[in-house]
Amino acid sequence: MRHILLIVLLAVPCLLFSQNVTLSGKIIDSQKLPVEAATVYLNSAKDSTLIDYTITDKNGQWHLKTKALKTAATLKVSFVGLKTYAKKLDAITADVDFGTVTLEDNAKVLGEVVVEGEIPPIRVKKDTLEFNAASFNVKADANLQELLKQLPGLEIAADGKMTINGKEVNQILVNGKPFFDKDGKVALQNLPAEIINKIQVTSTKSKEEELSGQKATGNNASINVTIDEDKNKGMFGRGTVGFGTSGRYENSLLANYFKGDRKVSVLASSNNINAIGFSMDEIFDNMSGGRNQSMWSNGSSFNINGMQFGGDTGITRSNIFGLNYADKWTKGFDGGGSYFYSDGKTDNTNRSTETNFVTKENESDEDLSYVNKNENVSRAYRYSHNYNTNFSIAADSTLSVYFEPKFVRGYTRNNTQAQQTVNRLTSGLLLTDTRGEYANETDNKSFSNMLVINKSFRKDKSSGISLDVRNENTLADGYVLNNTATDSYDYTGGTATVSQIGRNILRRNRQKKDEYIAEAKAYTKLKDSIALSVSMVYNNVRNTENRRGFNYNGTDADYTSFNDAMSGFLRGSEQRFSPRIGIGRETSKMWANVEGGMRFIDFKADGVYTGTVTAINKDYLRPYAVAQLSYHLTKTKSIWASYNYDVLLPQASQLLPVQDIFNQLSSTTGYLDLKPTETHNVYLNFNDFDYASRSGYSFYGGFNYNTRAIVGYSEINNNAISQNSYRNVTDTYNSWFGGYWSKSFKKEAHSFKLNMGLYGGYSADKGYLNTKPYEGKSLSLSPNVNVTYKYGELLTVNPFYEFDMNKTNYTNYAVSSASSSIHKLGINTTSYWPKHIVMGHDLAYSYNPQQASFRKQYYLWNASIGYSFWKDQLTFKTKVYDLLNQNQGITRTVSARSISEQENTVLKRYVMFSLSIKLDKFAGKKQAAEGSVISF
């Protein structure tokens, strides 16, 4: 089946081929001068759907290759300040040259009013693709995410990853500023579509590239949404209060105040349903598992400024509060800041079975492979305070400064009651039996900052100097507790002899990291298409770890007896100097950049263990190399390729002979002769989206080849007690690949969208077990199919299927191979009929045929019905989670050393009753742009 699906995915683009035609012409203004960057586009005469588009070159010439049409269409040409040209075409079946078209002046002064030409649905401005939000048809109460889904070439995967024209979107801004955070997840769910004016898509730039005006060197995309001037003054917000059976509850609030450049937002949430707290889904609100997200994992999650919300195993009671402020105080000086507080309490019961394979020197040797069975009951608590600020200063048109300090204070505590047994795989004999308590506590403090200064020597910013300085300082104080007893069984002579290993130890840890990075760069353009840069990068990082172990003292009833063997000190520092030179070339279709240099690395490490001092001082000289290529084959087809060489030095804990014997079943010590990891990284991406046929596809692949890597080295005795260290190996690699194809159809009120994808990877891992080398080569494949059917604004039906497979072949192992697979099948439906009522059903089925220790299959069915009233400002909902009461948190993982199956506590069936309120108050009402409404 997998091979058939792959063939289909490769063949689909070929099947889409149909007759192409070329439209061409030249655009001039009333002064007979060529008009550059005018938008030329085709609209369907029937429903004004955008068919295709292009822009004029510097000579005013344009060429539009599109699909032949047997139905009527309208050709339009638009440019700011000039009258829009329109010509109706009964059909397009052959090439047409429209000759020279003159755009007349259209700015007429009527008192204080200036009337301009029609706003086109799409414009291309240099390296920015701009969409007119008013040209896309969405429901009256739609949010920003629903609006973005209408953009041609934009895809949102089940895991929330967004791509546009094959590029992953990693930044969403509002009026050029973060809305709580740059990833934009809060903005996606909560900004109403009706206040959006423009949607601008461009390549994501670093802050240094942004200030200097240089080309983006990454392959990610950034989306900036601008707010209508009429809507940029007002308030809007949403809130939900919900109570349910089994003591479940959800409460959330997001309130916003906009006035020109000033934006103030407040966010708050409290729930015990594993929710992120502010998704504001119109069907399931914050319900974890809405749209079946928790079918494959226990709840959805994401990060804001480095903090994770949602996604815990177990059941979490969480509270968050956030405040975001942005403003422009004077000309050339703007900035803002945010504060987040979050806390959570998580209860979880974990059961797991892990089969660990051990290498054999000879086939006749005893198989020492073993099985770990664990049952842990844990309770965790955490909180964090996060302060973020940013300031932008434009001293003049040539000097820019950006300053971004961040402060974080966090705390975590975890207590676990544990029971673990280890049995021989082949005979089932009991080797060890451990029970007791583990606990840990950590108090974290961190400060980070980024300062970027750019000075341009030319008005076009093609020449200048920049300075980028960053720091990260972290301090973590805490302890770990091991209060357990282990019975170890020896079967020598045929009779079991039991010995006991006990631990009642508290180890206090202090970990500190200080990292400083500075880059000074000079850049210039030698010719129109050639750019040169020279830079020096300095990096200094220092890590220290101080462990102090204490045995329990019965006399003091506290941990006061110092344990030298459980203590130790580790310190490592690394300084890098890297002079670099880069050269780039940019044409209308191609951009390429190559940067090379050297790395001068000074590495020092020292440690103390049981009175013995060890110190290391090593110098390394390694090359630095980065290359990128972007090539546009046609208006819709493009290729991106990149390469870089990287060097990763071992940590002090991997090098120094400071032994960690805190766990009685597993100890670890460093290895002095370790060498750095050296990696070659290659990435290639090809994508194409054809606006005329509403179809697109993308293929990508990456390859990381380690000429040398650091891996684990273990010796395991007859009782499955391991002594661990590290060694170097050569020729390991990791590769990944994927592709998707998307096609949209529309006929009157019926619309279909078909998505097919294939994702996978192939890797070779090496290591040492019982001093013997092993190798595991793993293949993973995940084909998927997703269909969305819409009947106007009344009904949406979304069936989907996904198959995940992983297989690992072993060399010099107790087994030759191991595999896991899971089938995922489901359907989501949403109905907006009758009026004021919205209903949703999510039904998903999961089947894991290799699951041995736990249930192989289950269904997850969520249902919701809501009624809107008071001018649709209030919505009452009844939601049922896990209607069949079958949800389970089971995972199976295959690695190069083991097969693991585990089950965690998950939410079970409950009913939630909620009331949501939506309040929007703006300075003006939504005005339709002159022209036609566009829908995709």
Side-chain angles (χ1 to χ4, degrees):
M1 177 181 176
R2 297 190 302 273
H3 301 296
I4 295 174
L5 183 55
L6 177 60
I7 294 172
V8 171
L9 286 171
L10 295 174
V12 161
C14 301
L15 298 176
L16 293 175
F17 177 79
S18 62
Q19 181 185 357
N20 289 327
V21 295
T22 300
L23 310 181
S24 59
K26 182 178 181 179
I27 308 300
I28 61 175
D29 61 17
S30 59
Q31 305 299 316
K32 308 301 181 184
L33 297 174
V35 179
E36 183 181 3
T39 304
V40 183
Y41 58 101
L42 276 173
N43 274 358
S44 168
K46 182 178 181 180
D47 57 8
S48 297
T49 300
L50 178 67
I51 297 174
D52 212 340
Y53 79 97
T54 188
I55 62 170
T56 56
D57 61 20
K58 62 182 179 180
N59 299 315
Q61 300 282 353
W62 62 274
H63 297 82
L64 179 60
K65 292 184 178 180
T66 188
K67 303 295 182 184
L69 294 174
K70 295 181 180 180
T71 57
T74 303
L75 176 75
K76 293 186 177 183
V77 183
S78 176
F79 190 79
V80 175
L82 300 178
K83 185 178 180 180
T84 298
Y85 169 86
K87 183 177 180 62
K88 187 174 181 179
L89 307 172
D90 294 330
I92 305 175
T93 57
D95 296 349
V96 179
D97 186 349
F98 289 86
T100 300
V101 173
T102 301
L103 298 185
E104 302 294 340
D105 293 337
N106 193 41
K108 299 178 181 180
V109 179
L110 303 174
E112 297 296 327
V113 180
V114 177
V115 182
E116 293 186 346
E118 175 184 320
I119 300 175
I122 192 168
R123 274 198 180 123
V124 178
K125 298 179 177 180
K126 198 175 179 180
D127 58 351
T128 300
L129 191 62
E130 183 179 272
F131 298 93
N132 178 34
S135 299
F136 297 89
N137 188 20
V138 293
K139 301 191 304 293
D141 60 347
N143 57 21
L144 175 59
Q145 179 168 292
E146 292 302 314
L147 176 61
L148 292 182
K149 285 181 179 180
Q150 307 304 312
L151 300 187
L154 187 137
E155 302 289 336
I156 301 179
D159 60 1
K161 185 171 75 173
M162 182 184 299
T163 59
I164 185 163
N165 295 334
K167 288 186 176 183
E168 182 175 349
V169 178
N170 68 339
Q171 179 175 267
I172 297 177
L173 305 175
V174 179
N175 285 347
K177 299 292 182 182
F179 188 75
F180 281 99
D181 192 54
K182 289 182 179 180
D183 68 6
K185 289 186 172 66
V186 179
L188 282 175
Q189 295 290 340
N190 295 282
L191 280 182
E194 66 171 336
I195 72 171
I196 306 302
N197 181 22
K198 304 293 183 186
I199 304 166
Q200 299 163 337
V201 181
T202 187
S203 297
T204 303
K205 293 184 177 183
S206 67
K207 184 54 66 173
E208 187 264 334
E209 291 168 343
E210 182 183 322
L211 295 183
S212 63
Q214 297 178 70
K215 186 79 174 181
T217 55
N219 191 38
N220 291 318
S222 175
I223 292 178
N224 178 51
V225 297
T226 65
I227 297 176
D228 265 340
E229 290 186 12
D230 289 344
K231 305 299 189 307
N232 209 21
K233 183 178 181 181
M235 299 180 64
F236 63 93
R238 302 177 103 184
T240 298
V241 176
F243 297 94
T245 60
S246 304
R248 302 296 167 210
Y249 64 89
E250 60 167 336
N251 305 294
S252 61
L253 170 70
L254 179 69
N256 306 274
Y257 170 73
F258 285 6
K259 185 178 181 180
D261 294 312
R262 181 175 301 163
K263 293 186 285 290
V264 181
S265 301
V266 176
L267 181 151
S269 170
S270 179
N271 69 82
N272 64 352
I273 56 173
N274 290 9
I276 55 180
F278 39 85
S279 66
M280 300 296 184
D281 180 86
E282 65 174 330
I283 308 300
F284 293 104
D285 295 317
N286 296 299
M287 179 181 282
S288 177
R291 306 284 84 159
N292 279 313
Q293 291 176 357
S294 71
M295 182 64 186
W296 334 125
S297 62
N298 189 32
S300 56
S301 68
F302 63 83
N303 287 292
I304 292 182
N305 295 318
M307 294 177 297
Q308 179 173 307
F309 294 92
D312 292 297
T313 55
I315 298 178
T316 299
R317 299 176 298 281
S318 63
N319 304 285
I320 64 171
F321 172 79
L323 176 65
N324 187 78
Y325 174 80
D327 203 352
K328 184 175 183 179
W329 295 290
T330 62
K331 183 179 180 181
F333 182 37
D334 63 84
S338 65
Y339 164 74
F340 262 96
Y341 169 80
S342 69
D343 69 52
K345 296 179 181 178
T346 302
D347 294 313
N348 185 42
T349 298
N350 170 273
R351 294 191 300 129
S352 66
T353 300
E354 183 179 76
T355 302
N356 296 270
F357 303 111
V358 180
T359 57
K360 295 193 298 183
E361 186 172 5
N362 302 300
E363 284 297 324
S364 58
D365 292 346
E366 181 185 3
D367 183 7
L368 298 181
S369 299
Y370 57 95
V371 178
N372 274 339
K373 290 188 177 181
N374 295 273
E375 182 162 344
N376 302 323
V377 179
S378 64
R379 169 164 288 188
Y381 173 70
R382 70 177 188 275
Y383 71 79
S384 67
H385 301 270
N386 191 297
Y387 307 86
N388 303 278
T389 55
N390 61 85
F391 305 95
S392 296
I393 304 172
D396 54 43
S397 60
T398 65
L399 179 61
S400 301
V401 180
Y402 181 78
F403 183 49
E404 186 182 272
K406 298 181 179 181
F407 307 86
V408 177
R409 168 72 186 277
Y411 172 85
T412 59
R413 183 180 70 241
N414 185 73
N415 294 88
T416 302
Q417 296 296 324
Q419 174 75 40
Q420 178 186 14
T421 59
V422 180
N423 298 77
R424 183 69 64 213
L425 175 64
T426 51
S427 64
L429 290 174
L430 179 63
L431 303 178
T432 60
D433 182 2
T434 303
R435 61 272 174 199
E437 175 189 13
Y438 297 98
N440 63 74
E441 178 180 286
T442 306
D443 191 356
N444 294 286
K445 304 179 185 70
S446 71
F447 168 70
S448 63
N449 184 40
M450 174 172 61
L451 173 66
V452 182
I453 304 173
N454 186 82
K455 172 65 177 177
S456 299
F457 298 140
R458 299 174 185 170
K459 289 185 178 180
D460 63 357
K461 295 187 176 182
S462 61
S463 177
I465 56 175
S466 66
L467 177 65
D468 188 342
V469 181
R470 302 166 189 254
N471 70 277
E472 182 179 0
N473 308 95
T474 61
L475 176 64
D477 283 305
Y479 70 82
V480 290
L481 171 69
N482 183 345
N483 183 11
T484 59
T486 298
D487 293 333
S488 180
Y489 295 83
D490 184 356
Y491 295 93
T492 303
T495 303
T497 303
V498 182
S499 59
Q500 190 172 83
I501 308 172
R503 290 279 193 274
N504 193 0
I505 298 171
L506 183 143
R507 188 171 70 187
R508 301 190 180 278
N509 295 329
R510 165 165 277 210
Q511 293 178 292
K512 188 177 181 182
K513 177 183 178 181
D514 297 293
E515 182 172 14
Y516 302 91
I517 303 172
E519 178 179 7
K521 177 185 286 188
Y523 57 92
T524 188
K525 277 195 175 180
L526 304 179
K527 293 183 179 180
D528 288 343
S529 62
I530 302 294
L532 179 69
S533 67
V534 179
S535 61
M536 170 67 76
V537 179
Y538 170 73
N539 178 268
N540 186 328
V541 58
R542 179 186 294 265
N543 289 281
T544 60
E545 181 178 0
N546 191 11
R547 310 170 183 163
R548 293 177 297 130
F550 297 89
N551 294 327
Y552 184 79
N553 187 320
T555 303
D556 298 334
D558 201 355
Y559 295 90
T560 57
S561 300
F562 185 75
N563 187 321
D564 194 39
M566 296 290 173
S567 305
F569 177 79
L570 292 157
R571 177 169 54 197
S573 66
E574 178 183 332
Q575 289 191 84
R576 296 191 182 203
F577 295 89
S578 182
R580 304 169 184 176
I581 184 169
I583 187 169
R585 184 170 184 233
E586 183 176 3
T587 65
S588 59
K589 290 188 174 182
M590 183 268 294
W591 173 79
N593 183 68
V594 177
E595 189 175 17
M598 297 300 297
R599 293 183 176 101
F600 299 90
I601 307 173
D602 176 30
F603 177 75
K604 295 178 181 179
D606 62 278
V608 181
Y609 183 67
T610 61
T612 302
V613 179
T614 306
I616 299 172
N617 191 348
K618 294 185 177 182
D619 294 321
Y620 300 95
L621 179 62
R622 294 292 188 273
Y624 172 85
V626 173
Q628 295 120 350
L629 171 67
S630 175
Y631 191 82
H632 291 272
L633 301 171
T634 66
K635 177 171 64 71
T636 64
K637 297 182 178 69
S638 64
I639 295 175
W640 169 272
S642 65
Y643 164 82
N644 77 286
Y645 167 80
D646 203 6
V647 178
L648 182 64
L649 269 60
Q651 299 295 312
S653 59
Q654 296 175 314
L655 276 167
L656 300 173
V658 177
Q659 194 170 19
D660 185 352
I661 58 173
F662 191 72
N663 186 330
Q664 60 264 45
L665 299 182
S666 177
S667 63
T668 304
T669 189
Y671 181 65
L672 283 170
D673 292 331
L674 279 185
K675 295 178 175 59
T677 295
E678 299 185 23
T679 306
H680 300 269
N681 306 299
V682 179
Y683 179 78
L684 180 66
N685 173 266
F686 171 82
N687 64 80
D688 177 23
F689 188 89
D690 183 24
Y691 297 89
S693 63
R694 301 294 180 273
S695 63
Y697 58 95
S698 175
F699 300 101
Y700 65 86
F703 186 75
N704 299 334
Y705 174 68
N706 303 306
T707 55
R708 182 172 55 238
I710 298 172
V711 299
Y713 181 93
S714 300
E715 295 183 53
I716 303 172
N717 67 16
N718 290 333
N719 293 90
I721 298 174
S722 62
Q723 295 180 340
N724 306 306
S725 187
Y726 305 93
R727 293 293 188 273
N728 286 116
V729 296
T730 59
D731 303 322
T732 63
Y733 55 84
N734 175 51
S735 65
W736 66 98
F737 53 86
Y740 81 89
W741 172 75
S742 175
K743 173 70 176 176
S744 296
F745 312 85
K746 185 175 182 181
K747 185 176 182 181
E748 297 177 346
H750 305 277
S751 64
F752 297 86
K753 188 172 185 179
L754 173 63
N755 292 283
M756 301 174 66
L758 175 67
Y759 307 94
Y762 188 74
S763 62
D765 297 310
K766 295 180 179 180
Y768 290 88
L769 281 174
N770 274 2
T771 72
K772 306 301 179 185
Y774 73 86
E775 182 175 359
K777 292 185 177 180
S778 301
L779 172 67
S780 63
L781 289 173
S782 296
N784 64 81
V785 179
N786 187 303
V787 180
T788 301
Y789 165 75
K790 289 186 177 182
Y791 179 72
E793 297 183 2
L794 299 179
L795 178 66
T796 301
V797 181
N798 174 217
F800 58 89
Y801 170 76
E802 181 179 339
F803 174 73
D804 292 334
M805 184 278 291
N806 179 283
K807 183 176 182 180
T808 301
N809 294 317
Y810 301 102
T811 301
N812 195 23
Y813 235 45
V815 295
S816 59
S817 66
S819 64
S820 69
S821 62
I822 184 170
H823 298 267
K824 308 167 186 178
L825 177 67
I827 185 169
N828 303 331
T829 65
T830 306
S831 168
Y832 298 93
W833 183 89
K835 190 176 181 180
H836 303 301
I837 292 179
V838 57
M839 291 183 288
H841 287 271
D842 290 0
L843 177 62
Y845 168 76
S846 174
Y847 174 63
N848 189 336
Q850 278 84 24
Q851 201 79 44
S853 303
F854 305 105
R855 187 175 172 182
K856 296 179 183 291
Q857 59 185 344
Y858 70 99
Y859 291 89
L860 180 63
W861 185 5
N862 303 320
S864 169
I865 181 169
Y867 173 70
S868 299
F869 55 100
W870 197 41
K871 297 182 180 180
D872 290 337
Q873 302 271 286
L874 288 173
T875 303
F876 176 77
K877 297 177 188 173
T878 301
K879 299 162 289 185
V880 184
Y881 177 80
D882 189 19
L883 194 135
L884 301 178
N885 206 31
Q886 291 190 8
N887 191 28
Q888 54 186 15
I890 295 175
T891 58
R892 175 183 169 90
T893 304
V894 175
S895 70
R897 290 185 58 166
S898 63
I899 300 176
S900 175
E901 296 178 355
Q902 62 175 305
E903 180 181 33
N904 291 287
T905 300
V906 296
L907 287 168
K908 304 295 283 186
R909 180 172 56 201
Y910 67 88
V911 181
M912 180 73 72
F913 304 97
S914 68
L915 180 67
S916 299
I917 184 170
K918 180 181 69 173
L919 295 175
D920 299 333
K921 184 179 180 181
F922 302 108
K925 296 293 184 181
K926 185 77 172 178
Q927 300 294 325
E930 187 178 338
S932 303
V933 173
I934 308 301
S935 63
F936 288 86

